[in-house]
Amino acid sequence: MFLIQCILVSILAGLLRWDGRVFGQTLAEVPLCAGVLVGIIMGDPYTGLIMGASLQLIFLGIVGIGGATPPDSTIGAVMGTFFAITAGLDAETVIALAMPMAILGQALGILCRMINVRYNIVIDKAAAEGNAKRIDSALWQGAFIFFILTAIPVFLGCYFGADVVQAIVDFIPPIILTGLSRSASLLPALGMALLMNFMFDKQTAVYLFLGFVLNAFLGMSLLGITFLGVIIAVAMYQAGKHKA
């Protein structure tokens, strides 16, 4: 059963790598969705949701701009959630382990792109010859490289890594593990800060501070603040529509 789960998780990781390349931008590859999907395969969607949401906060502000290849949030989320379920790791430990996995995925992503460069020449030559089938074949070969260089490392990591990761966690002195957990707890705040760096402006700042005041001083839940935000957004949209 464990082997089958490892195979299914690795196939899922490869398919998630095709999001935005083959299936269109469905956002299935983001940590929140990836964590839930891994949880379903492993029979624990609740833990998958918790881990996916925790890892989502880390990678909120990580964006691949231009030719840059950021840390691979998909591999980090898939393997982190897998280890959380199989090894019984908590969210803070998984967060501490997810970033090295994501950096490994970053290196694999760069390797995929280096290999795929050669298909530019093949496709240009096929286009000049009007050979549509060869173009399709080259495109699928490039996509297959992304699939393979994602699925195989994830399978190897999942199949051989759960016990190793647990052994490493048990071997780490408590004081070091506590330090990792404390530093990992800062990463979600860093992700939010990076995201706010893109979104924050003078026109929307007042709503950010309104939400903070409602939560910190008036004790309103995040769900209640969300509904209030939706109401404000709808009211502003309708007011702008009437002015137009």
Side-chain angles (χ1 to χ4, degrees):
M1 184 63 181
F2 178 73
L3 176 61
I4 295 175
Q5 289 176 330
C6 290
I7 293 174
L8 292 176
V9 169
S10 63
I11 292 174
L12 171 65
L15 293 176
L16 291 177
R17 176 61 60 241
W18 279 359
D19 186 38
R21 294 178 173 87
V22 176
F23 302 129
Q25 198 68 47
T26 66
L27 296 181
E29 65 176 349
V30 301
L32 179 60
C33 296
V36 173
L37 293 173
V38 172
I40 292 174
I41 292 175
M42 302 301 295
D44 191 356
Y46 176 76
T47 300
L49 176 62
I50 297 299
M51 297 302 165
S54 300
L55 294 171
Q56 182 73 58
L57 291 174
I58 298 177
F59 297 105
L60 274 176
I62 297 179
V63 181
I65 300 174
T69 302
D72 194 320
S73 61
T74 302
I75 288 182
V78 168
M79 296 184 68
T81 303
F82 182 88
F83 289 146
I85 296 174
T86 56
L89 304 178
D90 58 24
E92 291 183 345
T93 304
V94 169
I95 290 174
L97 293 174
M99 189 56 71
M101 300 172 190
I103 294 174
L104 172 63
Q106 180 185 31
L108 292 172
I110 294 173
L111 178 61
C112 289
R113 288 165 175 81
M114 291 174 62
I115 297 174
N116 271 272
V117 167
R118 72 183 186 90
Y119 288 108
N120 292 337
I121 301 174
V122 176
I123 291 174
D124 288 341
K125 185 177 179 180
E129 297 172 352
N131 192 338
K133 290 184 178 180
R134 192 175 182 187
I135 294 175
D136 289 340
S137 176
L139 291 173
W140 278 109
Q141 288 177 42
F144 189 69
I145 290 172
F146 274 99
F147 182 92
I148 290 297
L149 289 182
T150 300
I152 291 180
V154 169
F155 173 79
L156 295 176
C158 291
Y159 187 76
F160 296 105
D163 294 336
V164 174
V165 171
Q166 184 61 55
I168 292 174
V169 172
D170 293 338
F171 179 77
I172 297 175
I175 187 171
I176 296 179
L177 189 60
T178 301
L180 289 173
S181 299
R182 294 293 181 268
S183 62
S185 64
L186 298 175
L187 292 176
L190 176 61
M192 290 296 296
L194 290 171
L195 182 65
M196 291 305 300
N197 188 46
F198 292 106
M199 297 177 58
F200 188 86
D201 59 47
K202 294 180 180 179
Q203 294 181 343
T204 60
V206 62
Y207 301 106
L208 172 65
F209 292 119
L210 174 62
F212 175 78
V213 169
L214 291 175
N215 179 260
F217 297 100
L218 300 182
M220 182 178 290
S221 67
L222 294 179
L223 184 61
I225 295 174
T226 301
F227 280 121
L228 179 61
V230 171
I231 293 172
I232 293 175
V234 172
M236 293 180 63
Y237 171 77
Q238 291 178 341
K241 190 176 180 181
H242 287 309
K243 290 182 179 179

